[in-house]
Amino acid sequence: MTADEPDPASAVGRYSLDSRLTGALGGRTAQAIERAFGYRTVGDLLGHYPRRYALRGELTALASLPLDENVTIVAEVIEVRERTMRSRRGSILEVKITDGTGILTLTFFNQAWRSRELVPGARGIFAGKVGDYRGARQLAHPDYELFDEATPTSPTDASVKRWAEAPIPIYPATGTLASWQLAKAIALLLDGLEATDAAGDPIPEAVRASHGLLSQRRALEQVHRPEIESEWKAARRTLRFTEALVLQTALLQRRAELRAQATTARHPSPGGLLERFDASLPFALTGDQVEVGKAIADDLGEPVPMNRLVQGEVGSGKTVVALRAMLAVADSGGQAALLAPTEVLAAQHLRSIVRMLGPELSASLVPTLLTGQLPAAERRKALLRAAAGQSRIVVGTHALIGETVSFADLGLVVVDEQHRFGVEQREALRLKGRQPPHVLVLTATPIPRTVAMTVFGDLDISTIRELPAGRAGIESHVVPLAERPGWRARVWARLAEEVAAGRQGFVVCPAIEARVAEEADPAAGEPPVANDDAGADAAARPVASVASVLAELAELPAFADLRVAPLHGRMSSDEKDATMRAFAAGEIDVLVATTVIEVGVDVPNASAMVVVDADRFGVSQLHQLRGRVGRGGLPGLCLLVTAAEPDSLARQRVDAVAATLDGFELARVDLELRQEGDVLGATQSGGRSSLKLLRVARDGDVIADARAIAAALLDGDSKLVRNPALAAEVRRRLDDDSSGFLSKG
């Protein structure tokens, strides 16, 4: 802590959760905390909960400490030795600490005075980055805090026992802010936090009583300064429920706000575009498509904006359902905009829409493509068609939200693969309507119920499980190079056999050029998937790339006469479009690509897919990628090539995908395999809205319970006038941007 701290004795009752840290802790300390974690208020820092608790008698497994990572450990000093440095003046103090089995060395340069406190038998908390010196683990110049082994003054057996058993909070820390420094800052805030009564608690008293929950003030005290283990467990239970209640309240408020808006009801015309399209379809819609289509039609027919999510298996026919909604809007004189995450997918959507509509309907609707890489002349034409209302269907990427893009009457926004977009992008497109347009969100990533309640709480959800008739299915196999390195040659031979039979194939790579995993470029189709869990040698293995696979295939006799081409995000729009057109026309045999082909690419003659370094991808990504084959009458083959070790988490992901084609089962497995903080982690929810204790994979019952209570509290009191403390907590935890994000995912 720094010298600019306020006097804790004078701080009692001075701070609220909204107080600034600068006033509570002093400028330098507050700035250090903001730089490290982004926290600015007392409530922010008090929401920085311990990641675990240690005991004074507890030691840490030193043998398992990861190299090059910052750690906080509890250990005991067993040996202290000072020696003179050979190459320069000064001395080195080496302190060995132990957990009873392993030994770790602490190294201090020219700090012999530390030997007066770091004596054999001393125990404490030590923090630093784990290094390696001549094969032995060490911490160089670590921070530490020794336990005050002086037992309580005039101790009784009971007081000594309490002192010995009091859990020590271990906080998520950084190289500049140690766990105990955070503990001291938090203790200062708790000492100065104003007292609250039942009227100021975000959880109504009746709910707390029926659920056996603590007050917020007591929960904060016990989670940060527990005297016994049961206290911090009870505190976490209360704070977890509070997170769920705040989140569900925000989502339901957002849902109510959307339903309070007015818009134009959209009805298809008798004998109009939609009826003509349905009459021209060469296939019958599945039962699920009919059911979901009716729900959408009912929504469009209301003077309230539709906000519906359609989730469906890969290849289940979501595009047809969305196109029917666009035609209903066009029948009423309105326009529809389809927002796609990549140029490849946007162009694919346009081709599919034109093909399904046929020449006559296409001439009436003038489907138009608008992307960032269109030539200037084509872009001007597209902008004019949209602004004049000539184009009833506009398909594009994020370029659709540009300031120069306008619509004559935007009646429907369709967002494909919504998880690729931020809330600001979707909202910017929605605001281009003269009044709020209807919104239809599509995803081929099935969503478990708890995630749906948490991430899509303001959307009505429809599901398409049934696949269209005629799909021949996909066989999936893991190629385990860790155990069978010789099988790699057979992978390429099998792909060549598919091409020899008159079919086509994909090879999917996690990178464009040789790189390490941390250099992923998602914009170019490279997955930002960490591979720390793939096995001990994962970091040493080069990441498979489009460039390396192209070079490998060029050396194989079986591929000498095959037409092999690359496709990735660094190619120009024209190059990507030309490549996809050639592949769809059968002019390319094998496409070596990144994940730019993950969604939407539809080439019925493509029967085989090889995913190289499959452990670098997530479960949903692999399932999406696999869906690019087996789309016609041909059976699909997917080979998941991985060098991940058999028991690693990365290998479990690959094995899970190979074991089933059921995307809903894979969504459940994915949720179980993910690290708990990933579901609404920083990359998705950002800043203050990220969940601290609530875990979607584990806390489904808590989420459902909190949603029911939130609905009851909001019934007849949408602004929470009768529950001002809950309203304040919603404002505190979820600002407008993050609340909007959480409401859409």
Side-chain angles (χ1 to χ4, degrees):
M1 304 304 292
T2 60
D4 62 339
E5 298 164 2
D7 177 8
S10 65
V12 178
R14 287 176 49 190
Y15 315 133
S16 72
L17 294 177
D18 292 320
S19 297
R20 307 290 290 183
L21 285 177
T22 49
L25 298 178
R28 281 174 288 176
T29 301
Q31 288 169 12
I33 290 171
E34 183 174 356
R35 282 196 301 269
F37 303 106
Y39 302 152
R40 296 180 180 179
T41 69
V42 169
D44 290 344
L45 184 52
L46 290 181
H48 189 77
Y49 305 129
R51 58 183 174 84
R52 67 182 178 89
Y53 298 85
L55 297 174
R56 283 178 173 80
E58 177 184 74
L59 297 176
T60 304
L62 300 184
S64 64
L65 294 178
L67 285 173
D68 296 323
E69 288 193 16
N70 287 304
V71 298
T72 300
I73 59 176
V74 177
E76 178 179 339
V77 176
I78 58 170
E79 181 182 324
V80 182
R81 183 168 69 96
E82 183 183 2
R83 60 183 175 83
T84 303
M85 286 188 281
R86 296 177 181 176
S87 58
R88 60 186 184 191
R89 295 178 60 185
S91 64
I92 297 176
L93 183 69
E94 293 180 334
V95 179
K96 292 186 177 180
I97 58 176
T98 184
D99 61 348
T101 56
I103 293 177
L104 184 70
T105 301
L106 313 180
T107 305
F108 301 92
F109 296 92
N110 296 319
Q111 296 185 25
W113 60 269
R114 294 188 182 275
S115 62
R116 294 196 294 271
E117 56 186 15
L118 291 171
V119 297
R123 290 191 176 196
I125 309 177
F126 303 86
K129 180 175 282 191
V130 182
D132 180 88
Y133 180 69
R134 295 181 178 177
R137 281 175 164 74
Q138 70 166 11
L139 300 182
H141 281 273
D143 289 319
Y144 62 88
E145 183 176 58
L146 299 179
F147 297 146
D148 181 5
E149 298 296 346
T151 54
T153 305
S154 303
T156 64
D157 288 344
S159 65
V160 171
K161 188 173 187 294
R162 281 198 305 273
W163 174 84
E165 293 181 354
I168 303 165
I170 306 296
Y171 290 92
T174 68
T176 56
L177 279 172
S179 173
W180 56 85
Q181 291 174 310
L182 290 165
K184 287 179 178 178
I186 288 169
L188 185 67
L189 299 183
L190 289 172
D191 289 339
L193 190 62
E194 60 190 16
T196 57
D197 56 19
D201 202 289
I203 303 178
E205 186 175 8
V207 176
R208 284 192 286 117
S210 64
H211 288 66
L213 302 174
L214 306 175
S215 69
Q216 183 183 48
R217 181 68 176 82
R218 187 175 173 192
L220 289 172
E221 183 70 37
Q222 289 186 186
V223 80
H224 291 298
R225 296 196 291 204
E227 293 186 0
I228 54 176
E229 181 183 40
S230 61
E231 288 191 348
W232 65 257
K233 288 186 174 180
R236 279 179 171 246
R237 181 171 171 268
T238 294
L239 295 168
R240 182 179 299 117
F241 186 87
T242 303
E243 281 192 357
L245 182 63
V246 168
L247 178 59
Q248 292 304 321
T249 300
L251 291 172
L252 290 176
Q253 283 183 317
R254 171 70 175 168
R255 183 187 182 99
E257 290 170 5
L258 291 171
R259 280 154 179 73
Q261 297 176 342
T263 192
T264 301
R266 304 286 181 171
H267 299 282
S269 305
L273 297 165
L274 179 56
E275 282 193 12
R276 288 155 58 194
F277 173 75
D278 285 345
S280 70
L281 280 176
F283 54 83
L285 297 174
T286 66
D288 283 353
Q289 286 175 319
V290 171
E291 182 179 343
V292 173
K294 183 179 184 305
I296 292 172
D298 290 343
D299 286 350
L300 292 174
E302 295 292 331
V304 174
M306 171 177 68
N307 282 280
R308 182 169 293 275
L309 168 73
V310 174
Q311 60 171 343
E313 281 285 12
V314 175
S316 61
K318 296 181 295 297
T319 303
V320 174
V321 170
L323 181 54
R324 294 185 72 250
M326 295 183 207
L327 291 171
V329 170
D331 262 339
S332 71
Q335 295 168 282
L338 193 162
L339 181 62
T342 66
E343 296 206 356
V344 169
L345 182 53
Q348 173 74 40
H349 271 313
L350 185 74
R351 286 193 291 270
S352 297
I353 287 171
V354 170
R355 184 177 67 247
M356 286 189 285
L357 290 175
E360 182 184 349
L361 288 176
S362 291
S364 300
L365 292 157
V366 194
T368 296
L369 181 68
L370 183 57
T371 68
Q373 294 191 29
L374 278 181
E378 288 187 35
R379 179 178 175 82
R380 282 194 297 271
K381 289 180 183 177
L383 290 171
L384 286 171
R385 290 190 194 115
Q390 179 187 5
S391 176
R392 301 288 185 87
I393 296 177
V394 182
V395 181
T397 57
H398 63 278
L400 284 176
I401 67 177
E403 292 183 3
T404 59
V405 181
S406 62
F407 296 86
D409 182 14
L410 182 60
L412 173 66
V413 171
V414 180
V415 182
D416 193 23
E417 293 307 321
Q418 55 73 39
H419 61 279
R420 305 288 191 90
F421 299 97
V423 64
E424 297 86 359
Q425 292 172 305
R426 296 192 292 273
E427 186 67 7
L429 181 55
R430 196 180 72 86
L431 292 175
K432 288 184 179 293
R434 292 182 301 182
Q435 52 189 334
H438 298 280
V439 176
L440 182 63
V441 175
L442 308 178
T443 180
T445 304
I447 304 158
R449 174 174 168 269
T450 52
V451 177
M453 283 191 297
T454 304
V455 185
F456 303 101
D458 71 329
L459 299 178
D460 296 311
I461 298 179
S462 296
T463 300
I464 302 178
R465 286 180 175 269
E466 193 177 355
L467 296 180
R471 294 292 172 94
I474 306 170
E475 285 189 11
S476 302
H477 302 282
V478 176
V479 181
L481 298 185
E483 305 102 285
R484 299 285 191 273
W487 284 12
R488 188 177 183 93
R490 177 57 188 151
V491 168
W492 302 131
R494 185 68 184 85
L495 178 59
E497 290 168 7
E498 286 291 309
V499 177
R503 302 165 186 173
Q504 294 162 274
F506 297 98
V507 180
V508 183
C509 309
I512 299 171
E513 297 173 344
R515 61 164 174 81
V516 295
E518 289 74 14
E519 293 173 342
D521 181 2
E526 299 179 336
V529 177
N531 204 30
D532 297 337
D533 55 6
D537 66 334
R541 295 200 316 263
V543 179
S545 66
V546 172
S548 64
V549 169
L550 285 172
E552 183 178 0
L553 297 182
E555 297 295 321
L556 299 177
F559 283 78
D561 297 324
L562 301 189
R563 298 163 297 179
V564 182
L567 181 68
H568 54 74
R570 292 184 193 161
M571 296 166 62
S572 71
S573 180
D574 287 345
E575 289 172 328
K576 286 183 289 189
D577 191 56
T579 299
M580 277 310 306
R581 286 179 181 275
F583 188 62
E587 298 166 6
I588 295 173
D589 298 313
V590 176
L591 203 59
V592 182
T594 58
T595 57
V596 293
I597 56 98
E598 181 181 343
V599 291
V601 174
D602 188 4
V603 180
N605 192 49
S607 64
M609 173 174 287
V610 177
V611 183
V612 191
D613 278 357
D615 50 275
R616 304 278 181 180
F617 301 88
V619 169
S620 62
Q621 265 189 320
L622 290 174
H623 184 54
Q624 290 270 15
L625 288 166
R626 174 174 58 185
R628 298 311 103 209
V629 298
R631 300 181 71 86
L634 301 172
L637 173 68
C638 180
L639 301 178
L640 303 171
V641 182
T642 175
E645 295 171 6
D647 296 327
S648 65
L649 181 60
R651 176 64 176 274
Q652 290 179 51
R653 290 199 302 265
V654 178
D655 289 341
V657 173
T660 181
L661 292 172
D662 186 339
F664 291 89
E665 170 62 16
L666 286 175
R668 184 192 64 78
V669 172
D670 188 21
L671 201 56
E672 291 180 356
L673 290 178
R674 291 189 204 198
Q675 294 181 353
E676 288 192 332
D678 289 348
V679 177
L680 284 176
T683 57
Q684 292 188 40
S685 60
R688 292 189 290 153
S689 65
S690 56
L691 300 178
K692 302 293 182 67
L693 297 176
L694 191 68
R695 296 294 175 259
V696 177
R698 178 196 65 202
D699 298 324
D701 291 343
V702 176
I703 293 168
D705 189 18
R707 187 173 183 83
I709 291 171
L713 294 174
L714 291 168
D715 186 18
D717 185 21
S718 61
K719 300 296 185 182
L720 293 172
V721 174
R722 295 192 295 270
N723 291 280
L726 177 56
E729 193 73 9
V730 170
R731 287 193 300 271
R732 182 179 302 117
R733 294 202 186 198
L734 300 169
D735 59 27
D736 291 341
D737 287 343
S738 55
S739 179
F741 183 94
L742 287 171
S743 71
K744 292 182 173 64

